[in-house]
Amino acid sequence: TMSILAKIAEIENEMARTQKNKATAHHLGLLKARLAKLRRELITPKGGGGGAAGEGFDVAKTGDARIGFVGFPSVGKSTLLSNLAGVYSEVAAYEFTTLTTVPGVVRYKGAKIQLLDLPGIIEGAKDGKGRGRQVIAVARTCNLILIVLDVLKPLGHKKLIEHELEGFGIRLNKQPPNIGFKKKDKGGINFTATCAQSELDSETVKSILAEYKIHNADVTLRSDVTADDLIDVVEGNRVYIPCIYVLNKIDQISIEELDIIYKVPHCVPISAHHRWNFDDLLEKIWDYLRLVRIYTKPKGQLPDYTSPVVLPDGRTAVEDFCLKIHKNLIKEFKYALVWGSSVKHNPQKVGKDHVMEDEDVIQLVKK
């Protein structure tokens, strides 16, 4: 892969040398597209045997959600993981030891949350070094990423880690770009923008698509988007994952500094060693995971509030609930009775399409 790496370095250097302005936007757009294609080759080598990507290291997905921890070795990530989960994570002198560790599982508000250490992702994994590829495959399946930083030197590390994750097609705290994109068999590039564009014009869009050998497509820009946004949509393999920055070692800073950190978006200050502020961290994790708890009520009994069925936000219909319990349950389903904020009166008789909300109670009635 050296040739790919050399090409990437070459393009990155050229981009760094190019002044950003209207005249160069077109050229930069092309370079970005080339870069994205090269990076994809690194992550998914051409002609690789079907399932080779995740070999050797794929942790079975248990529980209701999965959180990936990323951070440099010295920031106290292992201490945080072990204190948070009471799991022993081997602190080792060489890189990939933590790959094999059993991840911890935290129970919080009735949900089982899997904690995963994503080691050695920093610097070099996207260049295909080490066992980076498997780590990336797992990172992309996380529901939330925690970037653990040392409060005394946070910004340099933060930038490096974000750059790495971006390089693997992971987008942090972002929504997918508001771009309509549909390939066609003929008819050329049909370009529409529903609002003013500060970076893209039809020529730049066409040349980026040409770089992907796409000459027939409908493209609609529904907000002011960038070349990077367009490339993300064309690549089609980006994952959008919420992220929390955990600033560790706050026992080493002043109260005034702490006040400032509290105002930074997506940040939680903690001390892993002293276990300070873990409740804040867990609360924020819960917010960012956006899980929905549904309590079951057997006929003629009180609801079971101890073990909710936990569903991801956006997939909380009665049918999703049935599938989570057992895939054959929907065949016997007649209707359901639901109590809670998703219904107008308690209980309400609903069908399988009814969408439930957090802490609803459900009773299934079978055929």
Side-chain angles (χ1 to χ4, degrees), residues 147-167:
I147 295 181
V148 187
L149 302 165
D150 182 330
V151 78
L152 299 172
K153 40 172 187 279
L155 291 169
H157 283 185
K158 178 176 183 284
K159 278 214 161 65
L160 279 169
I161 293 172
E162 286 173 340
H163 183 69
E164 288 297 312
L165 294 170
E166 288 269 316

Side-chain angles (χ1 to χ4, degrees), residues 1 4 7 34-46 126 133:
T1 58
I4 296 184
K7 283 179 198 161
R34 272 175 211 156
L35 198 57
K37 280 162 61 185
L38 288 166
R39 284 214 179 121
R40 176 171 30 135
E41 270 179 64
L42 276 184
I43 302 170
T44 51
K46 281 204 175 102
K126 75 168 173 305
R133 243 174 226 147

Side-chain angles (χ1 to χ4, degrees), residues 336-340 343-350 361 363:
L337 295 170
V338 173
W339 292 256
V343 290
K344 291 192 179 67
H345 44 88
N346 289 312
Q348 188 173 318
K349 190 170 156 181
V350 301
V361 171
Q363 178 184 326

Side-chain angles (χ1 to χ4, degrees), residues 262-317:
Y262 258 109
K263 298 190 175 79
V264 180
H266 313 298
C267 266
V268 182
I270 62 152
S271 161
H273 179 69
H274 297 289
R275 305 184 183 198
W276 290 349
N277 214 22
F278 277 18
D279 0 350
D280 243 19
L281 178 58
L282 284 164
E283 199 46 54
K284 197 158 193 113
I285 284 173
W286 181 258
D287 280 352
Y288 278 50
L289 284 174
R290 298 176 62 167
L291 297 171
V292 172
R293 293 159 292 174
I294 307 294
Y295 303 114
T296 50
K297 179 189 173 333
K299 194 175 181 208
Q301 293 174 39
L302 289 167
D304 176 8
Y305 290 113
T306 55
S307 48
V309 172
V310 179
L311 300 169
D313 188 39
R315 292 208 294 276
T316 63

